[in-house]
Amino acid sequence: MSSPTSSAPASSSGRLADEAARRRTFAVISHPDAGKSTLTEALALHAKMISEAGAIHGKAGRRSTVSDWMEMEKARGISVSSTALQFEYGDCVINLVDTPGHSDFSEDTYRVLTAVDAAVMLIDAAKGLEPQTLKLFQVARDRGIPVITVINKWDRPGQAPLELLDEIVDRIGLTPTPLFLPVGIAGDFRGLLRRGEDGAATEYIHFTRTAGGATIAPEEHYTPEQALEREGDVWVTAAEESELLSAAGQDHDQELFLAGHTSPVIYASAMLNFGVRQLLDTLVELAPPPRGRKDVNGNPRETTQPFSAVIFKVQAGMDTAHRDRLAFMRIVSGEFERGMVVTHAQTGRPFATKYALTVFGRERTTVDTAYPGDVVGLVNATALAPGHTLYVDKKVEFPPIPSFAPEHFAVLRAQSAGKYKQFRKAMDQLDSEGVVQVLRNDIRGDASPVLAAVGPMQFEVVTARMLGEFNVETQLDNLPYQLARKTDAASAEELNRQRGVEVFTRTDGVLLALFSDKWRLQYITKEMPKLTLELLVAGTE
Ligand SMILES: Nc1nc2c(ncn2[C@@H]2O[C@H](COP(=O)(O)OP(=O)(O)OP(=O)(O)O)[C@@H](O)[C@H]2O)c(=O)[nH]1
Ligand SMILES: [Mg+2]
């Protein structure tokens, strides 16, 4: 990777700071189906990473996107796992993570949000705010991640532009500050009005559709006077809306945006590639570059300190031909060079980074050097799990990623006893990726572990991958438990004697007591107040 500063004889920490400053690392988040994967592909198209959007066709004639590589994703048209991609745009290096929208996979999305500096939130223009939208805005706020809002699918009939914004104010308490307003109502998307100081229109960007939205939509730029002449009332409406917003104080303010009080808004059609370049330019201009982060002891790790990184995702089976396991790290500080030996904080063991990649769909590119903000995949990193830290020099460890409270539980068995060895191996693999949590106890034994999930679709991913990657047919039986609490060895015996309760050990050693329902839990908490029963962090409860 060449850098614009590499020819200048700058000090190495100066160069490091420059490299960090030109990075933008963000997640694309939303309620299912708002168009994240389509937008991700549109961004890749604008960065010239791909020549045509929707190049791969899914089943039933539905187009599937490059980031949705898994068979299950292609067949259903949903994302079940997050995917990272990196590209250069102008002077910037963009690291983008497309996340799954379905709440069953929210733990994956949450892990991604621990690794990025900003988020792009999509809202479907017709549907407005949906349950996951609200939850994700909350998570972003809790984590202090600034959010850029994209109101997508403006090519289809939907709500009025300002109505959608009012909904954001009322239900999220965040002030939306549009940078662009749509010219033309939802369903008649002609272009964008660029808002300047005090809401005055500075320019009209008119888009032209391309066949199926497969290529970049040509843009024409007009002055406000020319826009008025071309579009008449439609332009006047947009210009008036812009002034109304200013009167209500809804103009962009960089400080308030970075503090999470306001969110810049762009209206777009990911499918037609309208507004996509404007989003990219906004990310470059407004999204924050990587910052340092606090370690477990609360000490800051600055981006210019020696190399350190957090693992936020582990994924195997991305490539059935290779069958390898990739751990994705986000670099926090320092320069990464492929081949350098780093320390794995959780085990204290050295880890040789011989194989480092960026991944895009099924394509992989070797990474030789990387900088703060970059997302890099490490191949065959068997010991690495989400939340782990890598570093060089003096030890640093970043806070672990809290695991969600599972609410669905099921026993998994191999259909044929002869496949047990494979089954064991596959289970370990999926467990370490964090696809589900795996629970065991002496009574049930090892042949039939209990899977714990935030949502039942995680089980489907497990059975599909058991079959697809490991050739093991499995049987899944749901268990009548609805919630879990953390407990300890001293309480376990008493808990196991109770009806509707069973204690398990999770792979990370945590003891979990499962309860048939919340009334059972309430009763036991009341009757036996000495028992240890702690709430698991985060999640959907
Ligand atoms: N009309 C229209 N359709 C769109 C637009 N963007 C996406 N779609 C369609 O909306 C559907 C969902 O798009 P995806 O990109 O898969 O949505 P997603 O947010 O990635 O969905 P999950 O990953 O499952 O949460 C697909 O049929 C897309 O073709 C758009 O701007 N306009
Ligand atoms: Mg998707």
Side-chain angles (χ1 to χ4, degrees):
M1 200 180 302
S2 70
S3 103
T5 54
S6 55
S7 54
S11 70
S12 86
S13 89
R15 189 179 45 126
L16 191 53
D18 287 348
E19 286 291 349
R22 72 186 189 107
R23 261 114 182 127
R24 299 290 180 273
T25 304
F26 63 93
V28 184
I29 57 176
S30 80
H31 192 84
D33 254 17
K36 296 176 291 298
S37 300
T38 308
L39 178 70
T40 297
E41 196 169 61
L43 291 167
L45 180 72
H46 279 77
K48 309 214 164 37
M49 275 195 83
I50 51 173
S51 57
E52 209 171 278
I56 308 164
H57 289 273
K59 286 182 189 161
R62 187 197 167 279
R63 75 176 214 184
S64 69
T65 55
V66 180
S67 63
D68 287 343
W69 50 268
M70 231 187 230
E71 288 309 316
M72 195 172 148
E73 300 185 314
K74 275 202 252 172
R76 296 215 191 167
I78 63 163
S79 304
V80 305
S81 176
S82 54
T83 39
L85 70 115
Q86 188 188 58
F87 53 83
E88 296 215 18
Y89 180 73
D91 290 336
C92 274
V93 178
I94 309 268
N95 289 279
L96 174 168
V97 189
D98 177 22
T99 64
H102 199 288
S103 64
D104 285 14
F105 306 117
S106 52
E107 194 163 18
D108 186 353
T109 302
Y110 186 84
R111 288 180 193 140
V112 171
L113 286 171
T114 66
V116 295
D117 304 312
V120 169
M121 169 71 87
L122 266 69
I123 295 175
D124 182 322
K127 294 184 178 152
L129 300 183
E130 299 177 86
Q132 274 304 97
T133 327
L134 301 174
K135 271 192 197 164
L136 288 166
F137 265 122
Q138 191 57 48
V139 175
R141 176 174 299 172
D142 292 349
R143 295 208 58 87
I145 299 171
V147 178
I148 294 172
T149 304
V150 172
I151 299 186
N152 191 34
K153 305 197 186 184
W154 199 255
D155 59 292
R156 287 212 310 217
Q159 304 181 32
L162 301 195
E163 233 171 72
L164 278 161
L165 302 183
D166 286 345
E167 215 184 322
I168 296 177
V169 176
D170 295 345
R171 294 178 62 193
I172 299 171
L174 183 72
T175 306
T177 55
L179 305 169
F180 299 90
L181 281 174
V183 177
I185 56 165
D188 178 29
F189 195 3
R190 303 181 190 186
L192 291 171
L193 173 153
R194 186 193 293 274
R195 300 182 68 222
E197 294 256 311
D198 300 326
T202 57
E203 117 178 278
Y204 172 40
I205 306 153
H206 175 266
F207 298 104
T208 305
R209 285 178 184 236
T210 61
T215 51
I216 294 174
E219 286 177 15
E220 292 147 64
H221 294 238
Y222 297 106
T223 63
E225 294 73 29
Q226 290 169 322
L228 179 63
E229 212 166 290
R230 268 186 78 95
E231 306 293 354
D233 284 352
V234 172
W235 173 261
V236 172
T237 305
E240 281 173 1
E241 283 166 346
S242 182
E243 281 166 24
L244 277 176
L245 286 170
S246 285
Q250 287 176 252
D251 294 325
H252 174 71
D253 178 311
Q254 184 68 4
E255 256 174 58
L256 292 177
F257 159 57
L258 292 180
H261 299 305
T262 63
S263 176
V265 179
I266 297 175
Y267 292 74
S269 167
M271 197 180 74
L272 299 179
N273 298 306
F274 287 15
V276 175
R277 186 192 311 282
Q278 287 68 30
L279 173 62
L280 266 176
D281 291 339
T282 300
L283 283 161
V284 168
E285 278 164 39
L286 306 184
R291 283 167 299 178
R293 70 168 64 191
K294 292 215 164 93
D295 68 10
V296 271
N297 304 315
N299 299 319
R301 179 83 167 186
E302 303 302 343
T303 52
T304 47
Q305 283 181 265
F307 168 84
S308 66
V310 284
I311 307 296
F312 65 95
K313 180 174 179 66
V314 174
Q315 174 90 63
M318 294 185 77
D319 187 340
T320 36
H322 291 95
R323 213 176 255 204
D324 48 12
R325 182 174 191 277
L326 276 174
F328 289 92
M329 65 171 174
R330 180 241 150 91
I331 299 175
V332 175
S333 63
E335 178 170 332
F336 170 78
E337 277 180 68
R338 189 167 63 87
M340 75 199 269
V341 178
V342 301
T343 309
H344 176 212
Q346 275 64 25
T347 57
R349 294 216 187 95
F351 177 79
T353 57
K354 194 168 161 202
Y355 302 103
L357 318 157
T358 56
V359 182
F360 179 50
R362 289 184 185 273
E363 278 170 46
R364 290 142 177 247
T365 319
T366 300
V367 171
D368 288 317
T369 47
Y371 296 94
D374 283 342
V375 171
V376 176
L378 298 168
V379 181
N380 287 335
T382 37
L384 305 185
H388 287 186
T389 303
L390 297 173
Y391 67 90
V392 295
D393 286 4
K394 251 175 67 195
K395 181 172 179 179
V396 63
E397 191 176 332
F398 296 107
I401 304 175
S403 61
F404 274 30
E407 291 177 2
H408 298 266
F409 307 90
V411 178
L412 191 73
R413 288 184 192 85
Q415 290 277 24
S416 121
K419 284 281 171 93
Y420 179 61
K421 231 174 106 190
Q422 276 296 81
F423 173 78
R424 228 355 252 264
K425 199 176 141 212
M427 205 61 262
D428 286 349
Q429 168 70 57
L430 298 172
D431 187 7
S432 69
E433 280 181 41
V435 174
V436 281
Q437 297 177 28
V438 181
L439 315 179
R440 296 185 167 90
N441 65 25
D442 292 341
I443 303 158
R444 289 179 186 269
D446 228 18
S448 50
V450 168
L451 310 187
V454 174
M457 255 209 269
Q458 284 174 268
F459 295 149
E460 276 183 59
V461 172
V462 170
T463 49
R465 290 188 56 186
M466 277 272 178
L467 190 62
E469 283 162 48
F470 299 91
N471 199 22
V472 181
E473 205 141 354
T474 50
Q475 186 188 327
L476 187 84
D477 296 306
N478 288 316
L479 286 176
Y481 297 120
Q482 288 177 3
L483 65 173
R485 287 288 181 276
K486 218 158 132 175
T487 185
D488 56 20
S491 310
E493 207 175 312
E494 184 63 47
L495 283 166
N496 268 326
R497 273 202 289 272
Q498 305 302 315
R499 188 168 45 81
V501 188
E502 191 173 347
V503 179
F504 290 87
T505 308
R506 198 167 64 186
T507 315
D508 61 2
V510 170
L511 288 184
L512 289 188
L514 310 193
F515 295 84
S516 54
D517 51 64
K518 67 171 190 263
W519 297 281
R520 208 59 219 140
L521 170 65
Q522 273 166 9
Y523 175 81
I524 289 167
T525 317
K526 198 166 139 248
E527 294 297 307
M528 287 163 265
K530 289 220 175 82
L531 293 179
T532 305
L533 289 171
E534 289 168 26
L535 204 64
L536 285 135
V537 207
T540 46
E541 277 184 62

